[in-house]
Amino acid sequence: MALQRTLSIIKPDATRRNITGAINALIEREGLRIIAQKRLLLTQKHAEKFYAVHAERSFFNDLCSFMCSGPVVVQVLEGVNAVEQYRKVMGATNPANADEGTIRKEFAESIEANSVHGSDSKENAAIEIAFFFSDMEIVG
Ligand code: ATP
Ligand code: MG
Protein backbone atom coordinates (compact mmCIF):
# COMPACT_ATOMS: atom_id res chain seq x y z
CA MET A 1 0.00 0.00 0.00
CA ALA A 2 1.12 3.54 -0.78
CA LEU A 3 2.42 6.10 1.68
CA GLN A 4 -0.34 8.34 2.96
CA ARG A 5 -0.59 11.43 5.16
CA THR A 6 -3.06 12.25 7.91
CA LEU A 7 -3.65 15.17 10.28
CA SER A 8 -3.27 14.59 14.01
CA ILE A 9 -4.10 16.99 16.83
CA ILE A 10 -2.86 16.41 20.37
CA LYS A 11 -5.73 18.01 22.29
CA PRO A 12 -5.64 20.41 25.29
CA ASP A 13 -6.28 17.68 27.89
CA ALA A 14 -3.02 16.04 26.78
CA THR A 15 -0.84 19.17 26.51
CA ARG A 16 -2.12 20.19 29.98
CA ARG A 17 -0.87 16.88 31.43
CA ASN A 18 2.51 17.19 29.64
CA ILE A 19 2.11 13.92 27.73
CA THR A 20 2.84 15.18 24.20
CA GLY A 21 6.07 13.17 24.13
CA ALA A 22 4.41 10.02 25.46
CA ILE A 23 1.79 10.25 22.68
CA ASN A 24 4.46 10.92 20.07
CA ALA A 25 6.38 7.84 21.25
CA LEU A 26 3.28 5.70 20.73
CA ILE A 27 2.70 7.22 17.27
CA GLU A 28 6.28 6.44 16.25
CA ARG A 29 6.20 2.96 17.81
CA GLU A 30 3.23 2.15 15.58
CA GLY A 31 5.16 3.01 12.41
CA LEU A 32 3.94 6.53 11.73
CA ARG A 33 6.41 9.33 11.02
CA ILE A 34 5.83 12.89 12.32
CA ILE A 35 6.73 14.98 9.26
CA ALA A 36 5.34 18.33 10.50
CA GLN A 37 4.45 19.59 13.95
CA LYS A 38 3.57 22.85 15.72
CA ARG A 39 1.98 24.02 18.96
CA LEU A 40 -0.92 26.47 18.70
CA LEU A 41 -3.65 28.07 20.75
CA LEU A 42 -6.81 27.78 18.65
CA THR A 43 -9.33 30.60 18.62
CA GLN A 44 -13.05 29.87 18.85
CA LYS A 45 -13.31 30.77 15.13
CA HIS A 46 -10.54 28.31 14.17
CA ALA A 47 -12.20 25.53 16.17
CA GLU A 48 -15.66 26.20 14.73
CA LYS A 49 -14.25 26.15 11.19
CA PHE A 50 -12.22 23.02 11.78
CA TYR A 51 -15.16 21.12 13.34
CA ALA A 52 -17.83 22.61 11.00
CA VAL A 53 -19.01 19.08 10.04
CA HIS A 54 -20.20 18.69 13.64
CA ALA A 55 -22.05 22.06 13.75
CA GLU A 56 -25.44 20.38 14.24
CA ARG A 57 -24.29 17.99 16.98
CA SER A 58 -25.39 18.68 20.56
CA PHE A 59 -21.78 18.73 21.78
CA PHE A 60 -20.50 21.22 19.17
CA ASN A 61 -20.19 24.30 21.43
CA ASP A 62 -18.59 22.35 24.26
CA LEU A 63 -16.19 20.68 21.83
CA CYS A 64 -15.09 24.02 20.33
CA SER A 65 -14.61 25.58 23.78
CA PHE A 66 -12.62 22.55 24.91
CA MET A 67 -10.35 22.71 21.83
CA CYS A 68 -9.56 26.37 22.72
CA SER A 69 -9.05 25.72 26.43
CA GLY A 70 -5.29 25.24 26.11
CA PRO A 71 -2.54 24.62 23.59
CA VAL A 72 -2.87 21.93 20.94
CA VAL A 73 -0.09 20.28 18.93
CA VAL A 74 -1.00 19.83 15.27
CA GLN A 75 0.93 17.27 13.27
CA VAL A 76 1.16 15.66 9.87
CA LEU A 77 1.77 11.92 10.13
CA GLU A 78 3.05 9.84 7.22
CA GLY A 79 3.02 6.10 6.79
CA VAL A 80 1.54 3.16 4.96
CA ASN A 81 -2.24 3.53 5.04
CA ALA A 82 -1.74 6.40 7.53
CA VAL A 83 -5.39 7.52 7.84
CA GLU A 84 -6.69 4.11 8.87
CA GLN A 85 -3.51 3.21 10.74
CA TYR A 86 -3.72 6.33 12.94
CA ARG A 87 -7.44 5.73 13.64
CA LYS A 88 -6.39 2.29 14.96
CA VAL A 89 -3.57 3.77 17.03
CA MET A 90 -5.98 6.39 18.52
CA GLY A 91 -8.67 3.88 19.50
CA ALA A 92 -12.42 4.46 19.87
CA THR A 93 -13.79 8.01 20.39
CA ASN A 94 -15.04 7.01 23.85
CA PRO A 95 -12.05 5.76 25.86
CA ALA A 96 -14.36 3.32 27.66
CA ASN A 97 -14.61 1.45 24.33
CA ALA A 98 -10.97 1.85 23.26
CA ASP A 99 -8.76 -1.21 22.81
CA GLU A 100 -5.75 -1.93 25.01
CA GLY A 101 -2.55 -0.25 23.75
CA THR A 102 -4.35 2.62 21.98
CA ILE A 103 -3.69 6.29 22.78
CA ARG A 104 -7.23 6.87 24.02
CA LYS A 105 -7.23 3.75 26.21
CA GLU A 106 -3.96 4.79 27.75
CA PHE A 107 -4.42 8.55 28.02
CA ALA A 108 -7.97 9.87 27.32
CA GLU A 109 -9.96 11.35 30.19
CA SER A 110 -13.46 11.25 28.64
CA ILE A 111 -15.37 11.09 25.33
CA GLU A 112 -14.71 14.83 24.90
CA ALA A 113 -11.24 15.12 26.44
CA ASN A 114 -9.98 12.20 24.40
CA SER A 115 -6.39 13.40 23.86
CA VAL A 116 -6.12 13.17 20.06
CA HIS A 117 -7.83 13.87 16.76
CA GLY A 118 -7.14 12.03 13.51
CA SER A 119 -8.55 12.59 10.02
CA ASP A 120 -11.31 10.15 9.09
CA SER A 121 -10.67 9.86 5.32
CA LYS A 122 -7.97 10.55 2.75
CA GLU A 123 -10.04 13.44 1.38
CA ASN A 124 -10.52 15.05 4.81
CA ALA A 125 -6.85 14.50 5.62
CA ALA A 126 -5.85 16.65 2.63
CA ILE A 127 -8.33 19.39 3.66
CA GLU A 128 -7.27 19.31 7.33
CA ILE A 129 -3.53 19.31 6.55
CA ALA A 130 -4.00 22.38 4.30
CA PHE A 131 -5.99 24.05 7.12
CA PHE A 132 -2.91 24.11 9.37
CA PHE A 133 0.21 23.72 7.22
CA SER A 134 1.81 25.20 4.12
CA ASP A 135 3.78 22.88 1.81
CA MET A 136 7.04 24.39 3.06
CA GLU A 137 6.31 23.27 6.63
CA ILE A 138 5.88 19.59 5.70
CA VAL A 139 9.13 17.71 5.28
CA GLY A 140 8.51 14.09 4.33
P1 ATP B 1 -11.78 13.19 16.17
O1 ATP B 1 -12.59 13.79 15.04
O2 ATP B 1 -11.46 14.19 17.26
O3 ATP B 1 -10.60 12.44 15.67
P2 ATP B 1 -13.55 10.98 16.28
O4 ATP B 1 -13.48 11.00 14.79
O5 ATP B 1 -13.22 9.71 16.99
O6 ATP B 1 -12.64 12.10 16.91
P3 ATP B 1 -16.03 12.43 16.06
O7 ATP B 1 -17.34 11.71 15.99
O8 ATP B 1 -15.45 13.00 14.80
O9 ATP B 1 -14.99 11.45 16.76
O10 ATP B 1 -16.18 13.58 17.14
C1 ATP B 1 -15.25 14.64 17.20
C2 ATP B 1 -14.90 14.93 18.64
O11 ATP B 1 -16.05 15.41 19.30
C3 ATP B 1 -14.49 13.69 19.47
O12 ATP B 1 -13.14 13.37 19.36
C4 ATP B 1 -14.80 14.16 20.86
O13 ATP B 1 -13.77 15.02 21.36
C5 ATP B 1 -16.06 14.97 20.65
N1 ATP B 1 -17.27 14.15 20.85
C6 ATP B 1 -17.74 13.17 20.06
N2 ATP B 1 -18.87 12.63 20.54
C7 ATP B 1 -19.13 13.31 21.69
C8 ATP B 1 -20.16 13.24 22.68
N3 ATP B 1 -21.16 12.38 22.58
N4 ATP B 1 -20.06 14.11 23.72
C9 ATP B 1 -19.06 14.99 23.83
N5 ATP B 1 -18.07 15.12 22.93
C10 ATP B 1 -18.09 14.29 21.89
MG1 MG C 1 -13.76 12.76 13.62
Side-chain angles (χ1 to χ4, degrees), residues 11 50-51 53-54 57-60 62-63 66-67 87 90-94 104 110-120 128:
K11 296 185 179 184
F50 183 79
Y51 275 120
V53 288
H54 295 312
R57 311 275 283 272
S58 58
F59 56 81
F60 179 70
D62 284 348
L63 173 62
F66 164 64
M67 291 299 286
R87 301 285 302 182
M90 290 195 306
T93 308
N94 186 344
R104 284 166 169 169
S110 67
I111 191 169
E112 178 179 84
N114 61 4
S115 302
V116 281
H117 161 87
S119 307
D120 59 10
E128 291 178 1

mmCIF file of all heavy atoms in Angstrom, residues 11 50-51 53-54 57-60 62-63 66-67 87 90-94 104 110-120 128, ligand 1:
data_model
loop_
_atom_site.group_PDB
_atom_site.id
_atom_site.type_symbol
_atom_site.label_atom_id
_atom_site.label_comp_id
_atom_site.label_asym_id
_atom_site.label_seq_id
_atom_site.Cartn_x
_atom_site.Cartn_y
_atom_site.Cartn_z
ATOM 1 N N LYS A 11 -4.718 17.075 21.777
ATOM 2 C CA LYS A 11 -5.728 18.006 22.287
ATOM 3 C C LYS A 11 -5.311 18.629 23.637
ATOM 4 O O LYS A 11 -4.386 18.136 24.304
ATOM 5 C CB LYS A 11 -7.071 17.261 22.424
ATOM 6 C CG LYS A 11 -7.631 16.777 21.073
ATOM 7 C CD LYS A 11 -9.016 16.148 21.237
ATOM 8 C CE LYS A 11 -9.556 15.687 19.887
ATOM 9 N NZ LYS A 11 -10.935 15.152 20.005
ATOM 10 N N PHE A 50 -12.808 24.345 11.885
ATOM 11 C CA PHE A 50 -12.215 23.015 11.782
ATOM 12 C C PHE A 50 -13.267 21.931 12.000
ATOM 13 O O PHE A 50 -13.275 20.914 11.301
ATOM 14 C CB PHE A 50 -11.076 22.855 12.794
ATOM 15 C CG PHE A 50 -10.392 21.539 12.668
ATOM 16 C CD1 PHE A 50 -9.462 21.331 11.658
ATOM 17 C CD2 PHE A 50 -10.694 20.483 13.512
ATOM 18 C CE1 PHE A 50 -8.842 20.106 11.504
ATOM 19 C CE2 PHE A 50 -10.086 19.252 13.363
ATOM 20 C CZ PHE A 50 -9.153 19.064 12.361
ATOM 21 N N TYR A 51 -14.161 22.131 12.984
ATOM 22 C CA TYR A 51 -15.161 21.119 13.337
ATOM 23 C C TYR A 51 -16.529 21.418 12.706
ATOM 24 O O TYR A 51 -17.547 20.925 13.206
ATOM 25 C CB TYR A 51 -15.282 20.997 14.850
ATOM 26 C CG TYR A 51 -14.252 20.067 15.472
ATOM 27 C CD1 TYR A 51 -13.347 20.521 16.416
ATOM 28 C CD2 TYR A 51 -14.188 18.709 15.123
ATOM 29 C CE1 TYR A 51 -12.407 19.658 16.995
ATOM 30 C CE2 TYR A 51 -13.253 17.853 15.689
ATOM 31 C CZ TYR A 51 -12.375 18.327 16.619
ATOM 32 O OH TYR A 51 -11.462 17.467 17.178
ATOM 33 N N VAL A 53 -18.172 20.262 10.352
ATOM 34 C CA VAL A 53 -19.006 19.079 10.043
ATOM 35 C C VAL A 53 -19.868 18.661 11.233
ATOM 36 O O VAL A 53 -20.880 17.983 11.057
ATOM 37 C CB VAL A 53 -18.188 17.838 9.618
ATOM 38 C CG1 VAL A 53 -17.598 18.007 8.241
ATOM 39 C CG2 VAL A 53 -17.109 17.495 10.633
ATOM 40 N N HIS A 54 -19.454 19.066 12.438
ATOM 41 C CA HIS A 54 -20.202 18.694 13.639
ATOM 42 C C HIS A 54 -21.122 19.814 14.135
ATOM 43 O O HIS A 54 -21.659 19.718 15.242
ATOM 44 C CB HIS A 54 -19.236 18.323 14.776
ATOM 45 C CG HIS A 54 -18.420 17.098 14.507
ATOM 46 N ND1 HIS A 54 -18.972 15.925 14.050
ATOM 47 C CD2 HIS A 54 -17.087 16.866 14.626
ATOM 48 C CE1 HIS A 54 -18.006 15.018 13.911
ATOM 49 N NE2 HIS A 54 -16.861 15.564 14.231
ATOM 50 N N ARG A 57 -24.312 18.942 15.864
ATOM 51 C CA ARG A 57 -24.285 17.992 16.982
ATOM 52 C C ARG A 57 -24.469 18.732 18.312
ATOM 53 O O ARG A 57 -24.043 19.882 18.462
ATOM 54 C CB ARG A 57 -22.960 17.198 17.002
ATOM 55 C CG ARG A 57 -22.559 16.582 15.669
ATOM 56 C CD ARG A 57 -23.210 15.230 15.424
ATOM 57 N NE ARG A 57 -22.566 14.173 16.186
ATOM 58 C CZ ARG A 57 -21.522 13.457 15.780
ATOM 59 N NH1 ARG A 57 -20.952 13.721 14.611
ATOM 60 N NH2 ARG A 57 -21.054 12.484 16.518
ATOM 61 N N SER A 58 -25.080 18.052 19.269
ATOM 62 C CA SER A 58 -25.391 18.681 20.562
ATOM 63 C C SER A 58 -24.122 19.134 21.299
ATOM 64 O O SER A 58 -24.145 20.088 22.064
ATOM 65 C CB SER A 58 -26.165 17.697 21.435
ATOM 66 O OG SER A 58 -25.381 16.535 21.608
ATOM 67 N N PHE A 59 -23.009 18.441 21.037
ATOM 68 C CA PHE A 59 -21.784 18.731 21.781
ATOM 69 C C PHE A 59 -20.881 19.751 21.088
ATOM 70 O O PHE A 59 -19.771 20.021 21.558
ATOM 71 C CB PHE A 59 -21.008 17.437 22.046
ATOM 72 C CG PHE A 59 -20.671 16.641 20.802
ATOM 73 C CD1 PHE A 59 -19.581 16.989 20.015
ATOM 74 C CD2 PHE A 59 -21.441 15.546 20.423
ATOM 75 C CE1 PHE A 59 -19.258 16.263 18.870
ATOM 76 C CE2 PHE A 59 -21.123 14.810 19.285
ATOM 77 C CZ PHE A 59 -20.037 15.181 18.509
ATOM 78 N N PHE A 60 -21.354 20.347 19.992
ATOM 79 C CA PHE A 60 -20.496 21.223 19.169
ATOM 80 C C PHE A 60 -19.884 22.387 19.957
ATOM 81 O O PHE A 60 -18.677 22.611 19.906
ATOM 82 C CB PHE A 60 -21.288 21.752 17.972
ATOM 83 C CG PHE A 60 -20.509 22.675 17.074
ATOM 84 C CD1 PHE A 60 -19.469 22.199 16.284
ATOM 85 C CD2 PHE A 60 -20.813 24.031 17.014
ATOM 86 C CE1 PHE A 60 -18.751 23.050 15.457
ATOM 87 C CE2 PHE A 60 -20.097 24.892 16.185
ATOM 88 C CZ PHE A 60 -19.067 24.402 15.401
ATOM 89 N N ASP A 62 -19.510 22.840 23.227
ATOM 90 C CA ASP A 62 -18.589 22.353 24.264
ATOM 91 C C ASP A 62 -17.276 21.898 23.631
ATOM 92 O O ASP A 62 -16.198 22.175 24.158
ATOM 93 C CB ASP A 62 -19.196 21.156 25.012
ATOM 94 C CG ASP A 62 -20.261 21.593 25.998
ATOM 95 O OD1 ASP A 62 -20.354 22.809 26.252
ATOM 96 O OD2 ASP A 62 -20.998 20.718 26.497
ATOM 97 N N LEU A 63 -17.381 21.193 22.512
ATOM 98 C CA LEU A 63 -16.190 20.684 21.827
ATOM 99 C C LEU A 63 -15.294 21.845 21.394
ATOM 100 O O LEU A 63 -14.071 21.815 21.619
ATOM 101 C CB LEU A 63 -16.614 19.839 20.611
ATOM 102 C CG LEU A 63 -15.495 19.365 19.676
ATOM 103 C CD1 LEU A 63 -14.516 18.449 20.408
ATOM 104 C CD2 LEU A 63 -16.089 18.637 18.460
ATOM 105 N N PHE A 66 -13.674 23.440 24.404
ATOM 106 C CA PHE A 66 -12.616 22.548 24.906
ATOM 107 C C PHE A 66 -11.356 22.658 24.043
ATOM 108 O O PHE A 66 -10.236 22.766 24.576
ATOM 109 C CB PHE A 66 -13.115 21.103 24.938
ATOM 110 C CG PHE A 66 -12.020 20.091 25.069
ATOM 111 C CD1 PHE A 66 -11.220 20.054 26.209
ATOM 112 C CD2 PHE A 66 -11.745 19.199 24.043
ATOM 113 C CE1 PHE A 66 -10.176 19.146 26.322
ATOM 114 C CE2 PHE A 66 -10.710 18.288 24.137
ATOM 115 C CZ PHE A 66 -9.923 18.259 25.287
ATOM 116 N N MET A 67 -11.518 22.683 22.731
ATOM 117 C CA MET A 67 -10.354 22.713 21.834
ATOM 118 C C MET A 67 -9.566 24.022 21.951
ATOM 119 O O MET A 67 -8.412 24.089 21.528
ATOM 120 C CB MET A 67 -10.787 22.466 20.380
ATOM 121 C CG MET A 67 -11.276 21.050 20.121
ATOM 122 S SD MET A 67 -10.021 19.769 20.449
ATOM 123 C CE MET A 67 -8.927 19.984 19.033
ATOM 124 N N ARG A 87 -6.150 5.953 12.953
ATOM 125 C CA ARG A 87 -7.435 5.727 13.639
ATOM 126 C C ARG A 87 -7.317 4.514 14.579
ATOM 127 O O ARG A 87 -7.859 4.506 15.671
ATOM 128 C CB ARG A 87 -8.572 5.496 12.626
ATOM 129 C CG ARG A 87 -8.815 6.633 11.642
ATOM 130 C CD ARG A 87 -9.498 7.827 12.213
ATOM 131 N NE ARG A 87 -10.777 7.554 12.801
ATOM 132 C CZ ARG A 87 -11.563 8.492 13.333
ATOM 133 N NH1 ARG A 87 -11.174 9.770 13.343
ATOM 134 N NH2 ARG A 87 -12.710 8.186 13.862
ATOM 135 N N MET A 90 -5.211 5.519 17.598
ATOM 136 C CA MET A 90 -5.980 6.392 18.518
ATOM 137 C C MET A 90 -6.944 5.586 19.376
ATOM 138 O O MET A 90 -7.131 5.883 20.549
ATOM 139 C CB MET A 90 -6.808 7.418 17.726
ATOM 140 C CG MET A 90 -5.999 8.495 17.048
ATOM 141 S SD MET A 90 -7.036 9.877 16.505
ATOM 142 C CE MET A 90 -8.264 9.068 15.534
ATOM 143 N N GLY A 91 -7.634 4.629 18.791
ATOM 144 C CA GLY A 91 -8.671 3.877 19.497
ATOM 145 C C GLY A 91 -10.022 4.578 19.398
ATOM 146 O O GLY A 91 -10.136 5.668 18.840
ATOM 147 N N ALA A 92 -11.045 3.963 19.990
ATOM 148 C CA ALA A 92 -12.420 4.462 19.867
ATOM 149 C C ALA A 92 -12.573 5.854 20.479
ATOM 150 O O ALA A 92 -11.866 6.205 21.431
ATOM 151 C CB ALA A 92 -13.369 3.492 20.559
ATOM 152 N N THR A 93 -13.523 6.633 19.934
ATOM 153 C CA THR A 93 -13.793 8.008 20.389
ATOM 154 C C THR A 93 -13.993 8.050 21.906
ATOM 155 O O THR A 93 -13.450 8.906 22.594
ATOM 156 C CB THR A 93 -15.057 8.550 19.689
ATOM 157 O OG1 THR A 93 -14.915 8.369 18.280
ATOM 158 C CG2 THR A 93 -15.279 10.015 20.006
ATOM 159 N N ASN A 94 -14.807 7.113 22.406
ATOM 160 C CA ASN A 94 -15.041 7.012 23.850
ATOM 161 C C ASN A 94 -13.985 6.077 24.453
ATOM 162 O O ASN A 94 -13.960 4.889 24.121
ATOM 163 C CB ASN A 94 -16.450 6.445 24.092
ATOM 164 C CG ASN A 94 -16.809 6.444 25.564
ATOM 165 O OD1 ASN A 94 -15.941 6.577 26.424
ATOM 166 N ND2 ASN A 94 -18.084 6.276 25.845
ATOM 167 N N ARG A 104 -6.081 6.464 23.198
ATOM 168 C CA ARG A 104 -7.228 6.872 24.015
ATOM 169 C C ARG A 104 -7.430 5.952 25.224
ATOM 170 O O ARG A 104 -7.827 6.414 26.293
ATOM 171 C CB ARG A 104 -8.480 6.976 23.141
ATOM 172 C CG ARG A 104 -8.453 8.252 22.287
ATOM 173 C CD ARG A 104 -9.473 8.229 21.197
ATOM 174 N NE ARG A 104 -9.632 9.529 20.533
ATOM 175 C CZ ARG A 104 -10.303 9.696 19.418
ATOM 176 N NH1 ARG A 104 -10.910 8.675 18.837
ATOM 177 N NH2 ARG A 104 -10.409 10.897 18.874
ATOM 178 N N SER A 110 -12.014 11.380 28.859
ATOM 179 C CA SER A 110 -13.459 11.247 28.641
ATOM 180 C C SER A 110 -13.730 11.245 27.143
ATOM 181 O O SER A 110 -12.805 11.430 26.345
ATOM 182 C CB SER A 110 -14.187 12.430 29.281
ATOM 183 O OG SER A 110 -13.850 13.619 28.584
ATOM 184 N N ILE A 111 -15.011 11.082 26.769
ATOM 185 C CA ILE A 111 -15.370 11.085 25.335
ATOM 186 C C ILE A 111 -15.013 12.424 24.698
ATOM 187 O O ILE A 111 -14.686 12.476 23.511
ATOM 188 C CB ILE A 111 -16.856 10.715 25.122
ATOM 189 C CG1 ILE A 111 -17.145 10.455 23.647
ATOM 190 C CG2 ILE A 111 -17.788 11.766 25.692
ATOM 191 C CD1 ILE A 111 -18.493 9.831 23.364
ATOM 192 N N GLU A 112 -15.073 13.514 25.463
ATOM 193 C CA GLU A 112 -14.710 14.827 24.904
ATOM 194 C C GLU A 112 -13.200 15.055 25.013
ATOM 195 O O GLU A 112 -12.537 15.365 24.018
ATOM 196 C CB GLU A 112 -15.447 15.945 25.639
ATOM 197 C CG GLU A 112 -15.051 17.322 25.119
ATOM 198 C CD GLU A 112 -15.801 18.430 25.831
ATOM 199 O OE1 GLU A 112 -15.361 18.839 26.926
ATOM 200 O OE2 GLU A 112 -16.824 18.865 25.302
ATOM 201 N N ALA A 113 -12.673 14.896 26.212
ATOM 202 C CA ALA A 113 -11.240 15.120 26.443
ATOM 203 C C ALA A 113 -10.507 13.826 26.110
ATOM 204 O O ALA A 113 -9.991 13.129 26.988
ATOM 205 C CB ALA A 113 -11.004 15.547 27.887
ATOM 206 N N ASN A 114 -10.492 13.505 24.808
ATOM 207 C CA ASN A 114 -9.978 12.197 24.401
ATOM 208 C C ASN A 114 -8.606 12.262 23.726
ATOM 209 O O ASN A 114 -8.248 11.430 22.905
ATOM 210 C CB ASN A 114 -11.013 11.437 23.559
ATOM 211 C CG ASN A 114 -11.381 12.162 22.291
ATOM 212 O OD1 ASN A 114 -10.820 13.203 21.978
ATOM 213 N ND2 ASN A 114 -12.315 11.598 21.539
ATOM 214 N N SER A 115 -7.852 13.301 24.078
ATOM 215 C CA SER A 115 -6.393 13.404 23.859
ATOM 216 C C SER A 115 -5.914 13.628 22.424
ATOM 217 O O SER A 115 -4.892 14.280 22.225
ATOM 218 C CB SER A 115 -5.645 12.192 24.442
ATOM 219 O OG SER A 115 -5.911 12.072 25.826
ATOM 220 N N VAL A 116 -6.600 13.041 21.432
ATOM 221 C CA VAL A 116 -6.119 13.172 20.057
ATOM 222 C C VAL A 116 -7.269 13.251 19.051
ATOM 223 O O VAL A 116 -8.367 12.752 19.293
ATOM 224 C CB VAL A 116 -5.207 11.981 19.645
ATOM 225 C CG1 VAL A 116 -3.806 12.128 20.190
ATOM 226 C CG2 VAL A 116 -5.820 10.644 20.031
ATOM 227 N N HIS A 117 -6.967 13.891 17.943
ATOM 228 C CA HIS A 117 -7.834 13.871 16.761
ATOM 229 C C HIS A 117 -7.055 13.233 15.630
ATOM 230 O O HIS A 117 -5.839 13.437 15.518
ATOM 231 C CB HIS A 117 -8.218 15.307 16.348
ATOM 232 C CG HIS A 117 -8.708 15.410 14.926
ATOM 233 N ND1 HIS A 117 -10.021 15.207 14.602
ATOM 234 C CD2 HIS A 117 -8.050 15.627 13.755
ATOM 235 C CE1 HIS A 117 -10.149 15.324 13.261
ATOM 236 N NE2 HIS A 117 -8.970 15.579 12.745
ATOM 237 N N GLY A 118 -7.743 12.519 14.745
ATOM 238 C CA GLY A 118 -7.135 12.026 13.509
ATOM 239 C C GLY A 118 -8.128 12.130 12.376
ATOM 240 O O GLY A 118 -9.331 11.914 12.580
ATOM 241 N N SER A 119 -7.660 12.478 11.189
ATOM 242 C CA SER A 119 -8.553 12.593 10.024
ATOM 243 C C SER A 119 -9.281 11.277 9.808
ATOM 244 O O SER A 119 -8.756 10.203 10.105
ATOM 245 C CB SER A 119 -7.744 12.916 8.767
ATOM 246 O OG SER A 119 -6.936 14.052 8.971
ATOM 247 N N ASP A 120 -10.519 11.370 9.259
ATOM 248 C CA ASP A 120 -11.315 10.145 9.088
ATOM 249 C C ASP A 120 -11.378 9.644 7.647
ATOM 250 O O ASP A 120 -12.023 8.626 7.382
ATOM 251 C CB ASP A 120 -12.722 10.330 9.676
ATOM 252 C CG ASP A 120 -13.482 11.474 9.032
ATOM 253 O OD1 ASP A 120 -13.010 12.003 7.999
ATOM 254 O OD2 ASP A 120 -14.543 11.834 9.564
ATOM 255 N N GLU A 128 -7.697 18.940 5.970
ATOM 256 C CA GLU A 128 -7.267 19.307 7.332
ATOM 257 C C GLU A 128 -5.784 19.668 7.381
ATOM 258 O O GLU A 128 -5.383 20.568 8.119
ATOM 259 C CB GLU A 128 -7.567 18.157 8.290
ATOM 260 C CG GLU A 128 -9.064 17.953 8.501
ATOM 261 C CD GLU A 128 -9.405 16.775 9.408
ATOM 262 O OE1 GLU A 128 -8.465 16.108 9.904
ATOM 263 O OE2 GLU A 128 -10.596 16.539 9.623
HETATM 264 P P1 ATP B 1 -11.784 13.193 16.169
HETATM 265 O O1 ATP B 1 -12.591 13.786 15.043
HETATM 266 O O2 ATP B 1 -11.461 14.195 17.262
HETATM 267 O O3 ATP B 1 -10.601 12.435 15.666
HETATM 268 P P2 ATP B 1 -13.554 10.978 16.282
HETATM 269 O O4 ATP B 1 -13.484 11.004 14.787
HETATM 270 O O5 ATP B 1 -13.222 9.706 16.993
HETATM 271 O O6 ATP B 1 -12.640 12.098 16.906
HETATM 272 P P3 ATP B 1 -16.034 12.427 16.059
HETATM 273 O O7 ATP B 1 -17.341 11.715 15.992
HETATM 274 O O8 ATP B 1 -15.450 13.003 14.802
HETATM 275 O O9 ATP B 1 -14.992 11.450 16.762
HETATM 276 O O10 ATP B 1 -16.179 13.576 17.142
HETATM 277 C C1 ATP B 1 -15.250 14.637 17.203
HETATM 278 C C2 ATP B 1 -14.903 14.927 18.642
HETATM 279 O O11 ATP B 1 -16.053 15.412 19.303
HETATM 280 C C3 ATP B 1 -14.487 13.692 19.468
HETATM 281 O O12 ATP B 1 -13.139 13.365 19.365
HETATM 282 C C4 ATP B 1 -14.801 14.165 20.859
HETATM 283 O O13 ATP B 1 -13.774 15.016 21.362
HETATM 284 C C5 ATP B 1 -16.059 14.966 20.649
HETATM 285 N N1 ATP B 1 -17.268 14.153 20.848
HETATM 286 C C6 ATP B 1 -17.739 13.166 20.056
HETATM 287 N N2 ATP B 1 -18.872 12.625 20.536
HETATM 288 C C7 ATP B 1 -19.127 13.308 21.692
HETATM 289 C C8 ATP B 1 -20.162 13.238 22.683
HETATM 290 N N3 ATP B 1 -21.157 12.375 22.579
HETATM 291 N N4 ATP B 1 -20.060 14.110 23.719
HETATM 292 C C9 ATP B 1 -19.061 14.995 23.832
HETATM 293 N N5 ATP B 1 -18.072 15.118 22.929
HETATM 294 C C10 ATP B 1 -18.094 14.285 21.886
#
